[in-house]
Amino acid sequence: LPACPNFHPNQSDLTVTGHIESVFTNGNGGIQVEADVQIMKTAAQVTTQYARIFRTGVIPCLKYDVLKSVGTSAKIQDATELSVASAVPMHAFRVSVTVGSGTAPIYLDFLYFAKGRTEYSVNVVAPSTQAAQLKNFEANVVARLLARNRV
């Protein structure tokens, strides 16, 4: 989840019972997908955590995280909330970044969704030239993850 100096939602009363991360990089298309999955003690804890995180502005924290990870040569062009087709409620954001001068933007999409006791954080990094395919690609990733959900 996003981390920035003024964003510290209380999580002391929540219990994580499982956690896994995975990264996939397609060198040919320049697309990278990072998935972080947590299983909480109860579905109610997932609801509580999401209520705490998404009731305040997440976009400033995402921008902070992106600049921290990409470095000072990056410039944020835009940061917006997205609409992504999903069978479950979802919070989705896009940060558009350029690195250097005269380059096409890179999209960093952040997808947060949950089902039952499981919460997902999926980050997709792709060149803006892939924009026409990105929405369907992300919907497919979300659908595949949800299809594997057992808790």
Side-chain angles (χ1 to χ4, degrees):
L1 294 172
C4 64
N6 298 321
F7 186 73
H8 304 286
N10 179 22
Q11 296 184 17
S12 64
D13 58 337
L14 306 176
T15 304
V16 175
T17 62
H19 177 251
I20 191 163
E21 298 177 33
S22 180
V23 177
F24 168 78
T25 302
N26 174 355
N28 293 338
I31 295 174
Q32 178 174 314
V33 179
E34 299 177 11
D36 188 304
V37 181
Q38 281 192 157
I39 299 174
M40 306 297 284
K41 187 174 183 180
T42 66
Q45 287 189 356
V46 173
T47 302
T48 298
Q49 177 162 288
Y50 274 24
R52 291 174 182 167
I53 292 168
F54 296 110
R55 74 172 168 222
T56 59
V58 172
I59 289 179
C61 289
L62 292 174
K63 290 165 63 174
Y64 176 85
D65 265 359
V66 167
L67 288 177
K68 190 171 77 175
S69 65
V70 177
T72 57
S73 64
K75 292 187 180 170
I76 293 179
Q77 302 300 314
D78 194 19
T80 59
E81 191 159 358
L82 299 174
S83 173
V84 177
S86 173
V88 297
M90 177 181 296
H91 300 276
F93 306 92
R94 172 173 289 159
V95 179
S96 176
V97 176
T98 55
V99 180
S101 61
T103 60
I106 298 168
Y107 291 156
L108 293 93
D109 289 356
F110 301 88
L111 314 173
Y112 303 101
F113 53 100
K115 181 178 178 186
R117 296 174 33 219
T118 308
E119 61 182 26
Y120 301 85
S121 171
V122 176
N123 301 338
V124 178
V125 179
S128 58
T129 55
Q130 300 291 328
Q133 300 175 19
L134 208 47
K135 190 170 187 172
N136 287 338
F137 175 78
E138 290 172 349
N140 192 345
V141 168
V142 169
R144 287 175 182 263
L145 287 171
L146 289 173
R148 295 176 181 208
N149 185 299
R150 300 290 181 254
V151 292

